[in-house]
Amino acid sequence: MKKSCIMLLTCVVTCFMLIGCSAGSRQAPSESVIIIEESVETGTEPAPQSSEDAAPEPESHEGMVRSYLTNEWIEEETASLRPLAVMIPNESSAIPHYGISQASILYECAVEGSMTRLMGIFEDYESIGKLGNIRSVRDYYVYWAFEWDAILCHFGGPYYADDILAEETTDDLDGNLLSAPYYRSTDRSAPHNAYLDTTQVSEALNAQGIDASDRGLKDETHCLFADDDTPNLLTQYADADACTYLDMSGSYPLTRCYFEYNEEDGLYYRFQYLSGGTDGPHIDGANGEQLSFANIIIQCTESAVRDDEGYLWYRDVDTSGRDAWYITRGQIIHCTWSKETNYGATRYYDDDGNEITFSTGKTMVLIIQDGDTFDYN
């Protein structure tokens, strides 16, 4: 079934009661039933319970909180730090990527020449080590990084990004201006041989006078998450459609990425064009893992071509109620999105005006333009 991105004519008016949870994430309310069994005195001692019959010890989350990005349990210290937003090229000559499977949120969007570029939002980044490769930023990615109050890692960018990068609240590590924490490998040619050494990021931030702790600029909460025991299967939507295969080649004709749903773990696995006319799993070269996501967002965004070089513009802050689609657990629904301020969260609403409830786990955000298409079944 083919979907085409269109402009909605009405704004979405929403009213939703938010349920708070630790570390800024939110969980939807769920009902629980407690059954109390009345003991009967028989005069005999109960038989001792064997170790095989004993209930398993509940997993301890002491010293941990829910991630603002994924709702997964993470260390309190990690949650208190700002994440990194890392610019990653995606043409076939840039593959393999290293460390990319550790991104909590991954954005993909077209840039000039029908190429796409990726931006990963990374939380527990210090343990990653080699991350990248790294390329230049576009200004519209900076606004997506803002909503996580992320520290931007990139190698320069076209002059269209100069003003937003120069703003007082923008914190970035530009590889064109710094040596550490960046380095170039000798196993491939420039420009696809620049990497971030995440073990040196803290030192680099200190040297640049950048505060790594949460500054309180982003929204206190970002996503509404389903409870672990009651995942959002989208069964409450009569118009939900099955989506076990998603093909984005209509929007991204060069990378031609697509996703396949695995019912066993409830994740969507990413594939894309590799080289020589072949496609295959999108693999992290550092650990051999295929990129996978619990949630996929397709977000239709107003855009325009800026110049003869093909540089693009996207409207990041938009409250007009533009089209989006939410995919999880083998299902897809239509929704709309809204972002009110630079540092405000992009929020997604179903067709009844209720905020979408996300599944716990990583999210892939696919930004598309008016007229772009995608297929699913």
Side-chain angles (χ1 to χ4, degrees):
M1 182 180 297
K2 178 168 289 189
K3 292 290 183 182
S4 177
C5 184
I6 60 174
M7 178 67 184
L8 292 183
L9 298 179
T10 58
C11 296
V12 177
V13 179
T14 64
C15 179
F16 198 90
M17 180 173 294
L18 306 182
I19 307 299
C21 64
S22 58
S25 64
R26 295 181 288 159
Q27 290 188 309
S30 60
E31 295 183 357
S32 60
V33 178
I34 301 176
I35 300 176
I36 303 176
E37 294 186 0
E38 188 173 325
S39 61
V40 179
E41 189 171 329
T42 62
T44 59
E45 292 292 330
Q49 192 175 35
S50 68
S51 58
E52 294 182 357
D53 296 333
E57 289 290 331
E59 185 179 356
S60 174
H61 298 297
E62 184 177 356
M64 306 181 78
V65 295
R66 292 284 190 175
S67 164
Y68 183 84
L69 287 79
T70 67
N71 199 48
E72 296 172 329
W73 290 102
I74 61 173
E75 299 292 335
E76 286 186 19
E77 182 180 0
T78 300
S80 69
L81 299 176
R82 297 163 64 191
L84 299 183
V86 182
M87 293 301 307
I88 301 171
N90 199 32
E91 51 264 45
S92 60
S93 56
I95 294 174
H97 300 124
Y98 291 85
I100 192 172
S101 64
Q102 304 304 307
S104 297
I105 312 290
L106 187 65
Y107 290 86
E108 183 164 20
C109 183
V111 292
E112 60 282 356
S114 297
M115 297 182 295
T116 65
R117 194 146 289 185
L118 303 168
M119 183 177 71
I121 310 296
F122 296 84
E123 290 180 283
D124 188 12
Y125 53 81
E126 289 190 348
S127 61
I128 296 175
K130 182 180 182 179
L131 180 56
N133 46 61
I134 313 294
R135 288 292 301 278
S136 58
V137 72
R138 303 294 181 268
D139 55 342
Y140 37 94
Y141 286 95
V142 183
Y143 292 97
W144 296 324
F146 277 169
E147 64 186 81
W148 309 101
D149 193 21
I151 299 163
L152 185 66
C153 299
H154 64 107
F155 268 74
Y159 70 89
Y160 295 113
D162 288 351
D163 288 345
I164 190 64
L165 291 175
E167 287 194 4
E168 184 178 355
T169 55
T170 303
D171 285 335
D172 68 316
L173 297 174
D174 186 344
N176 282 346
L177 305 177
L178 303 171
S179 52
Y182 298 101
Y183 68 95
R184 290 193 179 272
S185 68
T186 58
D187 61 344
R188 63 201 313 181
S189 301
H192 297 311
N193 64 345
Y195 296 92
L196 178 68
D197 181 354
T198 66
T199 65
Q200 297 183 26
V201 166
S202 293
E203 183 177 349
L205 294 178
N206 289 334
Q208 297 299 312
I210 296 175
D211 187 359
S213 59
D214 186 355
R215 302 182 296 175
L217 294 180
K218 66 182 187 300
D219 285 356
E220 184 178 349
T221 56
H222 194 289
C223 298
L224 179 68
F225 287 104
D227 187 85
D228 289 348
D229 297 327
T230 55
N232 185 11
L233 304 178
L234 302 184
T235 53
Q236 69 271 38
Y237 297 104
D239 58 350
D241 222 350
C243 181
T244 58
Y245 175 81
L246 173 66
D247 177 12
M248 296 300 300
S249 60
S251 298
Y252 308 142
L254 291 186
T255 55
R256 305 199 300 264
C257 71
Y258 61 95
F259 300 81
E260 294 182 354
Y261 179 63
N262 184 333
E263 189 174 359
E264 292 185 2
D265 59 14
L267 300 178
Y268 285 86
Y269 285 78
R270 180 183 166 96
F271 299 76
Q272 72 169 44
Y273 173 75
L274 301 176
S275 63
T278 63
D279 55 27
H282 192 165
I283 301 295
D284 186 331
N287 56 20
E289 292 184 8
Q290 185 175 0
L291 273 59
S292 60
F293 304 91
N295 309 285
I296 298 176
I297 286 285
I298 302 171
Q299 180 175 324
C300 187
T301 307
E302 184 182 357
S303 64
V305 179
R306 279 173 154 155
D307 55 29
D308 292 340
E309 298 295 323
Y311 283 105
L312 300 174
W313 166 85
Y314 288 84
R315 185 183 299 280
D316 298 79
V317 177
D318 193 337
T319 59
S320 63
R322 299 181 71 85
D323 286 328
W325 291 265
Y326 174 59
I327 303 169
T328 192
R329 298 282 183 160
Q331 299 286 311
I332 182 173
I333 60 169
H334 175 268
C335 53
T336 57
W337 67 273
S338 177
K339 178 176 167 69
E340 296 185 353
T341 63
N342 286 354
Y343 282 85
T346 302
R347 302 194 182 279
Y348 303 92
Y349 303 93
D350 64 24
D351 290 341
D352 293 324
N354 301 311
E355 190 172 352
I356 294 296
T357 302
F358 280 69
S359 298
T360 293
K362 299 175 181 177
T363 298
M364 179 91 224
V365 182
L366 302 164
I367 307 294
I368 65 175
Q369 307 173 66
D370 288 334
D372 284 349
T373 61
F374 60 95
D375 292 309
Y376 67 90
N377 56 50

